[in-house]
Amino acid sequence: MSDKASRRDFIKSTAIAIAAATAGGVLVPKQSRADQIVSAPVPPAASGQRVLRFSHPTDIHVQPELRGSEGMASAFQHMMSLKDPPQMILTGGDLPMDTAASDATRSAMLWKLFDGILKDNVPATIPIHHTIGNHDIWGRDMKACGATGNEPYFGKQWFLDNFHYEKTYYSFNQAGWHFIVLDSFDVVPHEKAYSSRIAAEQWEWFASDLAATPSTTPIVVVTHIPIISVAAFFSRKMAKSDDIIISRQNMHVDRKKFDTLFAKYPNVKLCLSGHLHLLDRVEYNGVTHICDGAVCGDKWVGPRQRTPEGYSIIDLYADGSFDHQYVTYGWKAEPATGADKDIDG
Ligand SMILES: [Zn+2]
């Protein structure tokens, strides 16, 4: 069956198919061959030419407390000592815990911690790309940060400076695939609350970047907040009524704009996100949306709901297909309370 026929059948048979990654017998369209939680990734499928294996560790939330530093180091050591380690790393945001609500001294310490652990555990030959998370915007909680708003590193600037980036959104090509990393925050820097939305200028760039990508080049889009997610239904930020209401902080409010744009570009294959610390997978209109679990689980107190601490390994193939696996690294939180606190991503 051709890719086109397969996609048509898939669209015909189901408007939206949602499958928890842990479930067996999930509906798997042709572009994805495997999706599972594993403690060590299985070898790539025998057929098809694999062109890249990369990792998507998201929501690391590194901190000295609760052995968070040790946990982050352990995750990257596990990843890099796999029999078949990733050739590239694409982090999903919320890197330290938590520069959005820590004063400048602690924020500097946290970025140093993050950079140091990465440097010590990932060979310099492995390219690393970073996505911005809500916890990476310094001064979002101005009071907790002791920020005035006039600091040269205020807002997203600290993230940019730390990685020597010009913008919080960018794209690059690797192994015949195109990667687009987006900034989910149309944030008013002086407000703690945010809406998950692509700001106007970024949207223009995004649309032109998609248009400039050859239709034969498969595309991965990365955001911190999911564009579409079923795990968002399980978020703790729900209305206390029978209506199912998803917070604007837990799923992109501009998801329809994404859907309209993706209709023009069937080469958009995969959207990756984090933020919820919950693992899910949604197939919608020919695009696979995967929200990966968090490296820190529930911010280092144990798994969040039923998603353990982990990172994903993704194999990309020359034909535009991919495999996704969520890999646990054996972390035992201390104390392993599994506390279900009402916290912010
Ligand atoms: Zn997070």
Side-chain angles (χ1 to χ4, degrees), residues 35-36 38 40-42 53 311-313 315 323-327:
D35 193 53
Q36 53 191 308
V38 292
V42 294
R53 165 166 280 204
Y311 59 87
S312 70
I313 289 287
D315 290 325
D323 285 331
H324 169 272
Q325 297 171 73
Y326 186 70
V327 183

Side-chain angles (χ1 to χ4, degrees), residues 88-127:
M88 186 262 277
I89 292 171
L90 220 170
T91 75
D94 283 2
L95 307 174
M97 181 69 200
D98 155 14
T99 62
S102 300
D103 66 25
T105 308
R106 181 174 163 88
S107 295
M109 176 275 286
L110 290 168
W111 278 120
K112 203 172 158 200
L113 193 63
F114 177 83
D115 293 340
I117 294 171
L118 215 52
K119 192 165 175 277
D120 289 348
N121 294 287
V122 179
T125 49
I126 307 285

Side-chain angles (χ1 to χ4, degrees), residues 73-196:
S74 168
F76 282 89
Q77 282 160 15
H78 187 272
M79 183 194 297
M80 296 319 300
S81 60
L82 293 172
K83 225 174 167 181
D84 190 2
Q87 298 152 294
M88 186 262 277
I89 292 171
L90 220 170
T91 75
D94 283 2
L95 307 174
M97 181 69 200
D98 155 14
T99 62
S102 300
D103 66 25
T105 308
R106 181 174 163 88
S107 295
M109 176 275 286
L110 290 168
W111 278 120
K112 203 172 158 200
L113 193 63
F114 177 83
D115 293 340
I117 294 171
L118 215 52
K119 192 165 175 277
D120 289 348
N121 294 287
V122 179
T125 49
I126 307 285
I128 308 179
H129 307 276
H130 301 283
T131 310
I132 192 165
N134 47 304
H135 289 279
D136 304 323
I137 304 171
W138 189 77
R140 197 162 58 77
D141 184 337
M142 287 184 75
K143 205 173 156 203
C145 290
T148 64
N150 297 319
E151 294 85 356
Y153 43 84
F154 184 70
K156 298 173 182 176
Q157 194 58 44
W158 200 325
F159 172 90
L160 292 172
D161 291 347
N162 194 62
F163 298 122
H164 309 287
Y165 288 173
E166 276 181 24
K167 289 195 183 292
T168 48
Y169 52 91
Y170 55 92
S171 65
F172 60 94
N173 295 310
Q174 192 161 340
W177 282 63
H178 188 62
F179 293 82
I180 304 177
V181 178
L182 297 176
D183 173 349
S184 290
F185 308 100
D186 179 10
V187 73
V188 180
H190 298 265
E191 285 178 14
K192 191 178 165 189
Y194 57 87
S195 287
S196 312

